[in-house]
């Protein structure tokens, strides 16, 4: 037989696009349209409905950037359409390539009831099927003219990301506002041909199945009358029936499709627009659930449900009903789909606490899965947190974006730093926006790396990022793929059903140990420094507010601010979303975040001050108390307690350095600062050990060009290192403080259009050089680092992560190690040779790099560099411009326990309060390796005291935890403060007024103490 394959394939493409699709709506009449432009921000629905509208028509321009236009659409169904299916086609000027990224609308009935959302892939509203003819129709469209930020020329600087700079010119043009007859047979034929045509292209040319499909498609095209597609569509479908009903082979891959609309809680739009996006999407999905009996939709992020509940209660009522029916699935059990690299220990725990509690309270759903399809890598402490929250599974897709190494598994056990293992799945479809395209389904099967041991994978299906969700076309295609020869089998089911099947079939899945590092988007650890500093400060202020409010409540009857703390936690958790905290959102989002963090801090300072005043006693006594919110004793003040202020032991001296500069010496550490303001020596006098590598200078600011190939705010590419400018010239070098409690030197440098001012301080009694850096930053596409070359040989180093630390190599033996050229730490990085180490601690930076070289003297220089500032121009062209302040400290001679202690110290400063009443800690622990991360009253308002702690050094720890109040009993709980039902062993017991703890490396424990009341 002659090979006519390409001829028929080309024929299918042209006939489908030029004849069959245009026949979908064979008759139409225009609607009457009027519009009203809301001034400023979005208005209540009642105001939009009642406003005075002006006539508009197809072809008219509308929509200033970030504006809202209310359209009134009215018409009458022609009598002659009786018995037909009729829809309104409402095209606001959509670009079908950009669902979720441009204009959208929510359709309302005249009484304000939401009907459904409109977006580029969902432009229809059903009138009736069938209609009687003569029906009057009237809808109101709340249309958002969101600008396209990431368009045909991506990553170009744009002023559209800030409302004040976006301009007022209209962005869109009304394309079509019609009533139309829908030919449902033609619609079904389109789905048939799309499924078969896409499948055909994925099958081998040598296989018989491909030719079976080709011949069937050819026969169908032969019977279609191109001048009467509607009249011949049924006959064409008959020609396809045989190949559409041939069942899949028994070994076919099985795909669990779950409806999805990954909605970034903020990204290329502000938070307020996400509130509307989730309402539009939820309206569409509840409507689709009503129309399609097999369809199941999953939505994560409790915050988004809460927004619907608050702002669109009519939509929320539909959501609650669909949840109760098992069709609309609250997924993931987190407040938002957060970044997981940068949130601190307690914040990561509270993501699950607040998310799961919302789902339990609202829907009775206790999630077993964590759902993070788009998060930029996963910290090694996360498995234990997931388990401690009562969950056991994790889904993500983002690791498939890695640039260098292909992850070896799709289904596996992920082991965290403490040994906890979580059953994890990466959908091999390699997208969280699956559209049921034949290529996607074929890719999921061919790409699946666990063949032979497993055969199930999951496909999140629907338009996402900006929302929109699953379409009726996707549901129709999935129905045809349910059991079709040549394809994977597709079935709609919730995430829990997939995970149960996948776990049951895979008896011994492979194990991946340590972080799930994304080999992309590394610069998100540095971009938008103010957002990151706001997060770090908020986390620690929340710790203090809970600690001192709980202490004051137990000691003095202080009114514990349950609702205020709950609200503030949720605000901070929201801003940990994976495009806010990472610094990859538009300018509007980050300017708003800066204001929000300032308001959060003000409230938290108020709670802290009020609680401390309640504890401090007589403010007029003339005495001063030092409150220590850190988890270690310092300056004689116990952790979580307060005591009178004392003078630091010892003294510090400052002298002139031969050749210029200064020498700072406190008997523990001697620091030499040369005439350039660089640290040439940090000599540990106890061990007789030099910290700074010979011939090198520490606290060296370095400037790199920074223009990645794409994803400007997200990425830093390895070639940035090829060019570096050392900032060694000092405008000023002067004494800033001269003992006896501390000595300090001030250094000022100018570079480009920017200036850096640093204060280097050595305090009496401390083996730590504190560095306070202020940068007035006005560079563009530059990367600023602070370098510390250390005379130390180590093949690995420790970085703090949630509830512990992980080790990364200092070498690049493999491509996996070389890919980690920028990584995350929390409060410290620690390097160590046996018997001696160095820590670099910080109060607000996350990104860093560590490299090693071997010198001519055969010694090793290991260089740690903190990432301070970037200046990408997309999506915010003013990223990080202005004044920034950082604190970091070099700690020579530090063991890992010292790194932990100094890290907390840098982030939890002492607070001095007038008073005469010493405050005993609410709880004490007799082992410094056991770190208390939370002391609070139980969330249920019972008055019980909840204490969370972990082993911080990576070893075993036996410790006694003693409550400083009358206690009736103690139980171990999960993160949600629920008694653990299956805890191994007898559980914690009070013996002699204390609880004995025996902790594994990095083990996390939450204890709930019930109080004895008079």
């Amino acid at each position: 037989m002659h090979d006519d394959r390409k001829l028929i394939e080309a024929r299918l493409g042209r006939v489908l696009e030029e004849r069959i699709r245009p026949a979908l709506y064979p008759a139409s009449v225009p609607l009457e349209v009027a519009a009203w432009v809301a001034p400023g921000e979005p208005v209540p629905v009642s105001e939009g409905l009642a406003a005075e509208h002006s006539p508009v028509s197809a072809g008219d321009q509308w929509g200033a950037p970030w504006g809202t236009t209310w359209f009134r659409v009215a018409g009458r169904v022609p009598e002659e359409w009786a018995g037909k299916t009729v829809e309104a086609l409402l095209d606001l000027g959509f670009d079908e390539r950009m669902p979720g990224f441009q204009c959208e609308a929510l359709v309302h009935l005249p009484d304000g009831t939401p009907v459904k959302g409109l977006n580029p892939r969902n432009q229809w509203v059903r009138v009736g099927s069938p209609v009687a003819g003569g029906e009057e129709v009237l809808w109101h469209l709340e249309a958002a003219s969101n600008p396209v930020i990431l368009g045909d020329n991506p990553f170009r600087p744009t002023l559209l990301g800030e409302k004040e700079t976006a301009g007022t010119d209209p962005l869109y043009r009304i394309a079509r506002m019609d009533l139309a007859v829908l030919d449902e047979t033609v619609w079904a034929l389109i789905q048939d041909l799309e499924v078969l045509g896409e499948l055909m292209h994925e099958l081998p040319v040598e296989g018989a199945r491909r030719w079976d499909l080709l011949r069937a498609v050819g026969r169908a095209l032969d019977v279609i009358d191109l001048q009467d597609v509607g009249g011949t569509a049924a006959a064409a479908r008959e020609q396809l029936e045989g190949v559409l009903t041939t069942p899949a082979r028994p070994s076919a891959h099985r795909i669990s499709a779950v409806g999805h609309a990954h909605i970034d809680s903020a990204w290329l739009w502000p938070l307020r627009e996400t509130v509307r996006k989730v309402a539009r999407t939820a309206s569409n999905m509840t409507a689709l659930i009503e129309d399609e009996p097999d369809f199941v939709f999953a939505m994560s992020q409790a915050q988004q449900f809460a927004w619907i509940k608050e702002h669109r209660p009519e939509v929320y009522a539909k959501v609650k009903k669909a949840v109760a029916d098992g069709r609309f699935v609250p997924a993931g059990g987190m407040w938002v789909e957060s970044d997981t690299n940068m949130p601190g220990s307690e914040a990561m725990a509270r993501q699950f606490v607040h998310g799961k509690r919302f789902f339990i309270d609202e829907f009775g759903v206790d999630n077993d899965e964590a759902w993070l399809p788009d998060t930029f890598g996963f910290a090694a402490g996360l498995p234990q947190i997931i388990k401690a929250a009562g969950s056991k599974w994790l889904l993500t897709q983002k690791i498939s974006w890695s640039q260098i190494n292909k992850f070896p598994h799709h289904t596996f056990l992920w082991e965290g730093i403490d040994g906890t293992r979580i059953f994890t799945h990466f959908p091999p479809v390699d997208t969280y926006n699956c559209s049921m395209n034949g290529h996607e389904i074929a890719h999921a099967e061919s790409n699946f790396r666990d063949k032979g041991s497993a055969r199930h994978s999951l496909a999140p299906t629907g338009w996402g990022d900006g929302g929109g969700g699953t379409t009726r076309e996707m549901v129709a295609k999935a129905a045809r793929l349910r059991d079709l020869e040549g394809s994977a089998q597709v079935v709609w089911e919730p995430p829990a059903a997939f995970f149960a099947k996948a776990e049951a079939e895979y008896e011994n899945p492979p194990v991946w140990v340590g972080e799930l590092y994304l080999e992309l988007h590394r610069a998100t650890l540095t971009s938008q420094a103010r957002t990151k500093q706001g997060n770090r400060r908020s986390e620690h202020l929340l710790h203090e507010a809970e600690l001192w409010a709980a202490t004051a409540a137990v000691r003095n009857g202080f009114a514990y601010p349950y609702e205020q703390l709950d609200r503030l936690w949720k605000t901070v958790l929201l801003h940990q979303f994976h495009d806010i905290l990472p610094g990859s959102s538009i300018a509007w989002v980050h300017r708003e975040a800066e204001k929000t963090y300032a308001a959060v801090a003000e409230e938290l300072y108020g709670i802290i001050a009020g609680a401390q005043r309640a504890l401090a006693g007589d403010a007029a006594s003339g005495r001063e108390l030092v409150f220590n919110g850190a988890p270690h004793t310092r300056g004689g003040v116990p952790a979580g307690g307060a005591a009178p202020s004392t003078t630091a032991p010892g003294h510090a001296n400052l002298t002139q350095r031969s050749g210029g500069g200064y020498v700072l010496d406190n008997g523990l550490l001697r620091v030499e600062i040369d005439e350039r303001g660089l640290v040439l020596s940090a000599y540990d006098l106890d061990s007789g050990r030099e910290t700074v590598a010979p011939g090198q200078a520490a606290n060296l600011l370095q400037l790199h060009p920074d223009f990645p190939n794409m994803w400007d705010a997200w990425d830093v590419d390895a070639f940035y290192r090829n060019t570096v400018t050392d900032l060694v010239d000092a405008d000023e070098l002067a004494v800033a403080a001269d003992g006896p409690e501390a000595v300090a030197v001030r250094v000022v440098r100018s570079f480009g259009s920017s200036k850096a001012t640093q204060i280097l301080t050595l305090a009496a009694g401390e083996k730590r050089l504190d560095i306070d850096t202020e940068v007035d930053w006005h560079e563009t596409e530059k990367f600023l680092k602070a370098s510390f070359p250390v005379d130390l040989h180590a093949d690995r180093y420790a970085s703090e992560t949630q509830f512990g630390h992980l080790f990364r190599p200092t070498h690049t033996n493999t491509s996996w190690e070389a890919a980690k050229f920028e990584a995350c730490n929390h409060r410290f990085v620690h390097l160590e040779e046996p018997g001696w180490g160095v820590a670099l601690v910080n109060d607000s930076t996350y990104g860093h790099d560590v490299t090693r070289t071997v010198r001519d003297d055969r010694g090793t220089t290991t260089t740690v560099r903190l990432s301070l500032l970037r200046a990408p121009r997309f999506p915010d062209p003013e990223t990080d411009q202005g004044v920034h302040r950082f604190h970091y400290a070099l700690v020579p001679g530090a063991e890992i326990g010292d790194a932990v202690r100094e890290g907390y110290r840098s982030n939890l400063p002492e607070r001095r309060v007038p008073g005469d009443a010493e405050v005993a800690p609410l709880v004490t622990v007799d082992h410094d390796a056991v770190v208390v991360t939370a002391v609070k009253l139980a969330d249920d308002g019972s008055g019980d005291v909840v204490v969370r702690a972990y082993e911080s050094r990576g070893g075993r720890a036996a410790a006694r935890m003693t409550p400083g109040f009358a206690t009736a009993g103690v139980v171990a709980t999960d993160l949600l403060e629920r008694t653990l039902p299956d805890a191994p062993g007898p559980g914690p017991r009070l013996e002699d007024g204390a609880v004995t703890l025996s902790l594994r490396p990095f083990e996390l424990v939450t204890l709930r103490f019930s109080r004895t009341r008079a």
Side-chain angles (χ1 to χ4, degrees):
M1 181 180 290
H2 296 296
D3 187 348
D4 59 353
R5 175 179 58 83
K6 292 183 179 179
L7 188 69
I8 296 175
E9 290 172 353
R11 182 188 182 194
L12 171 62
R14 184 175 186 191
V15 172
L16 187 58
E17 290 304 314
E18 296 187 24
R19 292 293 184 270
I20 301 177
R21 292 192 197 280
L24 183 59
Y25 291 101
S28 65
V29 295
L31 289 160
E32 293 182 2
V33 186
W36 173 72
V37 178
E41 284 296 279
V43 300
V45 173
S46 59
E47 186 175 342
L49 297 177
E52 183 174 346
H53 291 58
S54 300
V56 294
S57 59
D60 288 350
Q61 289 185 306
W62 72 279
W66 305 115
T68 300
T69 300
W70 281 85
F71 291 99
R72 185 178 64 230
V73 179
R76 184 175 181 273
V77 177
E79 299 285 352
E80 60 268 26
W81 289 2
K84 299 183 182 298
T85 297
V86 176
E87 295 181 341
L89 300 180
L90 307 175
D91 185 346
L92 298 173
F94 294 125
D95 182 338
E96 291 191 0
R97 301 170 302 162
M98 297 182 180
F101 290 91
Q102 55 162 217
C103 58
E104 300 173 81
L106 183 58
V107 181
H108 302 79
L109 295 177
D111 65 359
T113 302
V115 177
K116 63 169 295 189
L118 299 176
N119 63 61
R121 294 295 184 117
N122 207 322
Q123 303 176 20
W124 56 272
V125 178
R126 179 64 60 90
V127 175
S129 180
V131 295
E135 292 95 333
E136 298 287 341
V137 296
L138 176 62
W139 296 288
H140 294 263
L141 281 56
E142 182 190 15
S145 48
N146 300 328
V148 176
I149 306 293
L150 188 66
D152 290 332
N153 294 308
F155 316 120
R156 301 288 178 88
T158 175
L159 297 177
L160 290 171
E162 185 93 81
K163 191 172 184 180
E164 288 73 18
T165 61
T168 59
D169 292 340
L171 299 173
Y172 299 103
R173 191 180 298 274
I174 300 170
R176 186 178 187 182
M177 294 282 194
D178 293 343
L179 284 180
V181 173
L182 170 69
D183 189 324
E184 295 190 88
T185 304
V186 172
W187 185 88
L189 176 61
I190 292 171
Q191 314 316 312
D192 292 344
L193 290 173
E194 282 197 354
V195 165
L196 294 176
E198 291 165 2
L199 174 60
M200 188 166 58
H201 283 284
E202 300 303 323
L203 294 173
V205 174
E206 299 79 11
R209 177 62 170 167
R210 179 158 182 167
W211 290 90
D212 288 344
L213 300 185
L214 186 80
R215 295 300 168 213
V217 167
R219 291 192 299 270
L221 296 177
D222 287 341
V223 302
I224 293 174
D225 182 342
L226 299 184
Q227 278 67 51
D228 185 16
V229 173
T232 54
R237 292 199 72 205
E238 290 177 2
Q239 298 297 320
L240 302 174
E241 185 175 349
V243 291
L244 280 168
T245 55
T246 306
R249 64 186 186 277
S251 61
H253 187 67
R254 289 160 172 78
I255 293 178
S256 298
V258 57
H260 190 233
H262 171 72
I263 304 178
D264 287 312
S265 288
W267 180 27
L268 304 180
W269 46 86
L271 288 168
R272 67 88 154 146
E273 192 55 33
T274 314
V275 174
R276 302 201 293 180
K277 281 178 175 287
V278 295
R280 292 189 286 257
T281 298
S283 295
N284 274 355
M285 295 304 96
T286 52
L288 192 60
I289 284 170
E290 292 176 1
D291 293 340
E292 301 289 348
D294 294 332
F295 176 61
V296 177
F297 179 76
M299 189 169 95
S300 67
Q301 307 189 70
Q303 171 68 86
Q304 295 188 1
F305 286 84
W307 278 332
I308 303 173
K309 180 180 180 182
E310 178 183 357
H311 296 280
R312 300 313 302 250
E314 314 95 321
V315 177
Y316 194 65
K318 294 181 179 180
V319 168
K320 289 202 75 169
K321 180 183 182 302
V323 171
D325 293 340
R327 306 282 304 286
F328 196 118
V329 181
M334 297 176 67
W335 191 248
V336 295
E337 289 182 12
S338 73
D339 180 80
T340 75
N341 286 314
M342 290 175 281
S345 303
E346 274 304 309
M348 200 73 254
R350 304 301 175 94
Q351 285 286 354
F352 288 92
V353 169
H354 287 283
K356 294 195 76 172
R357 185 172 289 140
F358 183 92
F359 288 161
I360 291 168
D361 292 346
E362 291 290 320
F363 309 119
V365 172
D366 190 354
N367 297 90
D368 284 324
E369 79 288 338
W371 183 273
L372 292 164
D374 191 32
T375 296
F376 309 151
F378 299 87
L382 188 57
Q384 179 175 206
I385 297 171
I386 294 172
K387 181 70 177 294
S391 298
K392 58 183 179 181
W393 301 317
L394 169 66
L395 178 136
T396 186
Q397 177 273 324
K398 201 67 172 187
I399 301 300
S400 70
W401 286 42
S402 284
Q403 289 177 311
I404 300 170
N405 298 286
K406 188 173 180 65
F407 197 81
H409 318 296
H410 282 106
T411 304
F412 60 100
L413 294 176
W414 178 28
E415 181 177 320
I417 55 175
D418 73 309
T420 297
R421 291 180 174 182
I422 293 294
F423 188 80
T424 302
H425 180 66
F426 294 171
V429 71
D430 279 351
T431 178
Y432 47 78
N433 295 327
C434 176
S435 64
M436 284 292 135
N437 178 279
H439 175 71
E440 294 170 336
I441 301 305
H443 178 73
E445 182 167 20
S446 63
N447 186 45
F448 187 54
R449 297 177 73 88
D450 298 277
K451 299 183 188 75
S453 299
R455 63 173 53 178
H456 282 84
S457 71
L458 187 143
T461 302
W463 301 115
D465 289 312
T470 318
T471 65
R472 61 184 178 182
E473 289 79 12
M474 295 175 193
V475 176
K477 294 175 80 169
R480 289 158 173 78
L481 295 170
R482 185 179 184 91
D483 191 13
L484 182 63
E485 183 186 356
S487 171
Q489 293 178 299
V490 177
V491 61
W492 294 103
E493 57 187 355
F498 158 74
F499 273 109
K501 291 178 181 178
E503 195 170 31
E505 76 175 356
Y506 212 168
E507 291 185 4
N508 295 295
V511 178
W512 181 271
V513 179
E515 68 182 325
L516 294 170
Y517 180 91
L518 177 63
E519 296 171 357
L520 194 74
H521 293 358
R522 302 169 183 87
T524 58
L525 303 173
T526 305
S527 298
Q528 298 287 2
R530 292 184 187 89
T531 299
K532 291 170 171 57
Q533 289 179 326
N535 175 73
R536 180 77 72 87
R537 179 174 64 167
S538 297
E539 288 180 351
H540 290 86
L541 288 174
L542 280 161
H543 166 84
E544 287 193 86
E546 289 183 337
L547 168 66
W548 300 124
T551 305
V554 173
R555 296 273 189 263
N556 299 339
F558 180 80
Y560 191 80
Y562 291 101
E563 293 183 1
Q564 187 180 12
L565 286 170
D566 179 81
R567 173 174 51 79
L568 292 170
W569 262 117
K570 288 173 179 174
T571 299
V572 173
L573 298 178
L574 166 59
H575 286 79
Q576 291 178 341
F577 179 75
H578 65 253
D579 275 308
I580 303 179
L581 180 54
S584 47
S585 288
I586 56 173
W588 187 340
V589 173
H590 292 290
R591 305 299 177 267
E592 192 172 65
E594 186 176 358
K595 295 175 183 176
T596 298
Y597 283 129
V600 166
E602 184 177 3
E603 283 197 62
L604 290 171
Y605 281 130
I607 294 172
I608 293 166
Q612 290 178 340
R613 282 195 300 269
L615 290 165
D618 185 4
S621 65
R623 299 177 64 191
E624 185 179 61
L625 295 177
V626 175
F627 281 79
N628 175 19
H632 304 90
T633 298
R634 58 183 179 188
V637 182
S645 173
T646 58
T647 302
H651 62 280
N653 294 318
L654 182 148
T655 58
Q656 294 284 336
R657 174 180 174 272
S658 176
Y662 300 94
V663 177
L664 316 181
D665 191 329
N666 66 0
L668 300 173
L669 186 64
R670 185 174 66 240
V671 177
E672 292 189 32
I673 300 171
D674 70 5
E675 71 283 0
R676 304 170 298 173
L678 301 177
V679 177
L680 297 187
S681 172
Y683 193 77
D684 180 354
L685 294 165
D686 284 343
S687 64
R689 180 76 182 255
E690 176 58 64
T691 305
V692 181
Q696 300 291 311
N699 190 41
L700 171 65
L701 295 178
Q702 295 182 305
L703 195 66
H704 294 271
D706 184 17
F707 188 63
N709 288 343
M710 58 192 304
W711 297 110
D712 295 43
W714 295 256
D715 283 357
V716 56
D717 290 328
F719 53 73
Y720 88 92
R721 291 179 171 180
N722 298 345
T723 306
V724 61
T725 300
D726 293 342
L727 305 181
V728 297
D729 296 329
D731 301 340
E732 177 186 337
L733 179 67
V735 176
D738 192 4
E741 295 184 4
V743 291
V745 171
R746 181 173 184 265
V747 186
V748 180
R749 306 183 194 282
S750 299
F751 57 95
S753 301
S754 305
K755 184 171 76 171
T757 302
Q758 294 187 298
I759 306 295
L760 287 72
T761 303
L762 183 64
E766 302 290 351
K767 195 190 293 185
R768 183 185 70 247
L769 177 65
D770 288 292
I771 302 168
D772 291 283
T773 299
E774 178 181 287
V775 183
D776 189 3
W777 180 248
H778 297 283
E779 304 306 300
T780 298
E781 295 167 350
K782 295 290 192 296
F783 197 1
L784 182 66
K785 293 224 171 202
S787 176
F788 293 83
V790 177
D791 186 12
L792 187 146
H793 178 85
D795 60 2
R796 66 177 190 173
Y797 72 98
S799 293
E800 188 183 31
T801 189
Q802 292 99 0
F803 299 112
H805 56 266
L806 75 154
F807 292 100
R808 297 189 183 98
T810 60
H811 55 76
T812 55
N813 281 358
T814 70
S815 59
W816 293 87
E817 293 153 353
K820 297 182 180 182
F821 59 82
E822 184 80 4
C824 183
N825 69 279
H826 286 187
R827 286 167 290 235
F828 70 79
V829 170
H830 181 255
L831 305 166
E832 188 172 28
E833 289 179 1
W836 193 81
V838 176
L840 189 61
V841 301
N842 74 85
D843 76 342
S844 59
T845 60
Y846 295 93
H848 69 277
D849 69 87
V850 177
T851 55
R852 67 197 297 270
T853 58
V854 176
R855 307 186 298 267
D856 291 342
D857 65 0
R858 297 172 63 187
T860 300
T861 297
T862 305
T863 301
V864 182
R865 299 197 306 163
L866 300 180
S867 303
L868 301 182
L869 289 166
R870 298 184 69 233
R873 301 184 66 204
F874 181 86
D876 175 7
E878 297 296 318
T879 301
D880 281 333
Q881 299 301 296
V883 176
H884 302 268
R885 295 176 180 85
F886 306 94
H887 173 83
Y888 38 92
L890 182 68
V891 190
E895 297 179 350
I896 192 69
D898 300 316
V900 173
R901 183 188 66 251
E902 294 297 340
Y904 277 105
R905 177 179 187 143
S906 291
N907 286 269
L908 288 164
E910 297 174 343
R911 300 199 184 277
R912 297 176 179 270
V913 179
D916 63 351
E918 291 194 28
V919 180
L922 210 53
V923 63
T924 58
V925 181
D926 66 357
H927 197 311
D928 270 357
V930 179
V931 170
V932 173
T933 63
V935 178
K936 59 189 290 292
L937 295 193
D939 290 340
D940 61 8
S942 63
D944 290 354
V945 175
V946 173
V947 180
R948 190 150 33 249
Y950 72 103
E951 195 288 317
S952 66
R953 299 179 185 175
R956 296 188 178 262
R960 285 172 60 83
M961 180 180 289
T962 305
F965 53 92
T967 308
V970 61
V971 294
T973 75
D974 66 7
L975 294 179
L976 276 71
E977 301 168 6
R978 304 174 295 193
T979 302
L980 293 174
D982 56 352
R989 290 181 298 171
L990 282 167
E991 295 180 349
D992 299 326
V995 177
T996 298
L997 301 174
S998 181
L999 300 182
R1000 303 184 310 275
F1002 302 128
E1003 183 179 0
L1004 163 66
V1005 62
T1006 303
L1007 299 179
R1008 179 171 179 151
F1009 293 90
S1010 55
R1011 290 159 56 195
T1012 301
R1013 293 171 176 80

